[in-house]
Amino acid sequence: DSGVTQTPKHLITATGQRVTLRCSPRSGDLSVYWYQQSLDQGLQFLIQYYNGEERAKGNILERFSAQQFPDLHSELNLSSLELGDSALYFCASSVEETRHNEQFFGPGTRLTVL
Amino acid sequence: DQQVKQNSPSLSVQEGRISILNCDYTNSMFDYFLWYKKYPAEGPTFLISISSIKDKNEDGRFTVFLNKSAKHLSLHIVPSQPGDSAVYFCAASGISNSGYALNFGKGTSLLVTP
């Protein structure tokens, strides 16, 4: 158990809908990262927050947004969903935001768009 | 653009033998490298890391070798055990406009047979 929790575990929805994925980092971790893993793909970085502030963006679509709240949990919002958004979404956390910190991953949320 | 490549999608090794997983990268700005292990229905778990100032790091049965001139790293598992059967992801980080996000390869599925 990494200490990172993600809810829900599974989510099935229809095209055009909007969903929210939730992540609670390990106790004491200030940095939260979101990654997407599509079929046959490695994990693709989406966005990072540090202590409530957006720090970096990767290949995140404009239909996607995220935020980190004062209690440090984070939410990833996916809107106008398309079939291609079906994927595993992982949240990871680390103590700081230096590149020499390993990131601890949650179990993921499997999103299926029908 | 895949900056971290794991060219072997799968590897099968007998129990007790050495498993060697390979990883290549293209971005010379990467200076920290990690290996993650992933079981089905779980998030990736940190295994071992190496900084670019070193060429070898060892942790029990796991050793990571880094060849900066070749932009190549490898993970050696000796001796391999059936419980090592999982997908192994190579990841790298460095100065980039993606902050301290990890750049992942697509993974190598390792099967250790009794």
Side-chain angles (χ1 to χ4, degrees):
Chain A
D1 184 358
S2 66
V4 178
T5 61
Q6 288 186 249
T7 56
K9 201 170 178 64
H10 300 279
L11 199 48
I12 301 175
T13 187
T15 55
Q17 294 299 305
R18 173 190 167 95
V19 297
T20 297
L21 313 183
R22 182 187 168 103
C23 167
S24 292
R26 290 187 323 158
S27 177
D29 284 0
L30 298 177
S31 204
V32 169
Y33 306 78
W34 286 96
Y35 293 86
Q36 178 194 55
Q37 184 183 20
S38 302
L39 195 63
D40 296 331
Q41 295 292 319
L43 287 85
Q44 302 287 322
F45 168 66
L46 295 177
I47 196 164
Q48 179 210 353
Y49 279 82
Y50 178 78
N51 204 20
E53 292 186 8
E54 182 184 304
R55 275 293 200 252
K57 272 186 171 180
N59 299 324
I60 188 166
L61 300 171
E62 285 192 12
R63 301 183 285 108
F64 295 1
S65 65
Q67 53 185 323
Q68 186 179 28
F69 294 85
D71 67 353
L72 300 177
H73 91 271
S74 177
E75 293 180 357
L76 179 67
N77 301 296
L78 315 177
S79 61
S80 303
L81 286 168
E82 302 175 359
L83 296 177
D85 297 328
S86 295
L88 267 169
Y89 291 85
F90 289 103
C91 165
S93 72
S94 65
V95 173
E96 298 172 354
E97 56 169 352
T98 69
R99 57 185 173 274
H100 290 179
N101 269 339
E102 57 264 20
Q103 296 174 21
F104 295 86
F105 283 78
T109 293
R110 180 173 292 281
L111 173 66
T112 302
V113 182
L114 301 176
Chain B
D1 179 27
Q2 196 79 18
Q3 298 185 76
V4 177
K5 298 177 184 177
Q6 294 177 256
N7 292 320
S8 297
S10 62
L11 175 68
S12 183
V13 170
Q14 271 193 319
E15 181 178 6
R17 301 286 185 111
I18 183 171
S19 294
I20 300 177
L21 294 91
N22 293 303
C23 177
D24 297 294
Y25 62 96
T26 58
N27 190 336
S28 57
M29 299 304 290
F30 288 151
D31 63 356
Y32 192 62
F33 305 90
L34 308 90
W35 284 93
Y36 281 82
K37 176 179 177 179
K38 185 181 181 305
Y39 293 116
E42 294 183 11
T45 302
F46 169 73
L47 200 54
I48 192 169
S49 62
I50 187 167
S51 166
S52 60
I53 62 173
K54 296 185 174 183
D55 55 19
K56 176 182 174 181
N57 188 26
E58 209 170 333
D59 183 1
R61 296 186 299 113
F62 303 92
T63 303
V64 56
F65 295 92
L66 175 62
N67 183 333
K68 280 195 304 182
S69 61
K71 293 191 178 70
H72 177 84
L73 63 155
S74 60
L75 174 69
H76 293 209
I77 306 174
V78 183
S80 301
Q81 299 173 353
D84 296 329
S85 298
V87 178
Y88 289 78
F89 289 98
C90 171
S93 71
I95 300 171
S96 77
N97 54 9
S98 294
Y100 302 105
L102 296 175
N103 295 268
F104 282 88
K106 292 186 180 183
T108 295
S109 180
L110 172 66
L111 177 63
V112 180
T113 56

